Amino acid sequence: MSTSSSPSPNPTPPQPSTSAPRPAPSAPAPTFDKATLYTLSQPEKLSDVLAAEDKYDCFSCRLTGGVALLGLGAYTYLSTTAALNTPDLQKKIAKSGSRFGVQARKRGVLGLSMCLWGVGVWRMVR
């Protein structure tokens, strides 16, 4: 038989330390503004909201947004007018009996594109 040391089936539990327990670190209490329900339910003034919005509207944001809207307007106009100018689609529209013919659809696309272009220019200038 070998005399190797084997772990005992019931090890002794660790002894508690004799030093005093450390108190838990205390976090500073959060501070809140004491706003009433009435003040929270009141809408903000539009002039205050718009003034705060202008602070965060940088030049690159205006340029990117404006160019994106101009590009969207150009894409809408060019792709839709190219599709509306195909004879097959014109025949389908005429045969469908819709009260909106090809010319009405072209005017609608032009109006939508002009709105997108106008908003794009407004976005860049404002």
Side-chain angles (χ1 to χ4, degrees):
M1 217 167 171
S2 70
T3 58
S4 66
S5 66
S6 63
S8 65
N10 294 328
T12 59
Q15 298 296 322
S17 67
T18 57
S19 65
R22 282 190 276 163
S26 62
T31 58
F32 297 105
D33 291 336
K34 303 225 184 220
T36 63
L37 182 61
Y38 175 76
T39 58
L40 292 174
S41 66
Q42 297 301 314
E44 295 182 45
K45 291 183 180 178
L46 182 62
S47 58
D48 296 341
V49 173
L50 291 176
E53 182 182 311
D54 283 340
K55 293 179 190 174
Y56 302 110
D57 202 18
C58 62
F59 174 74
S60 61
C61 299
R62 288 193 311 259
L63 183 66
T64 303
V67 169
L69 287 165
L70 289 172
L72 182 62
Y75 175 77
T76 302
Y77 179 75
L78 294 174
S79 65
T80 310
T81 53
L84 284 174
N85 286 333
T86 59
D88 294 339
L89 185 61
Q90 289 178 357
K91 288 178 187 174
K92 286 181 185 178
I93 292 171
K95 194 185 288 186
S96 71
S98 171
R99 66 180 184 167
F100 299 110
V102 176
Q103 291 302 319
R105 292 173 193 223
K106 284 183 180 180
R107 287 187 201 112
V109 168
L110 179 63
L112 174 66
S113 299
M114 290 179 70
C115 287
L116 288 169
W117 291 332
V119 171
V121 169
W122 174 80
R123 176 78 176 113
M124 284 194 288
V125 172
R126 185 190 144 276

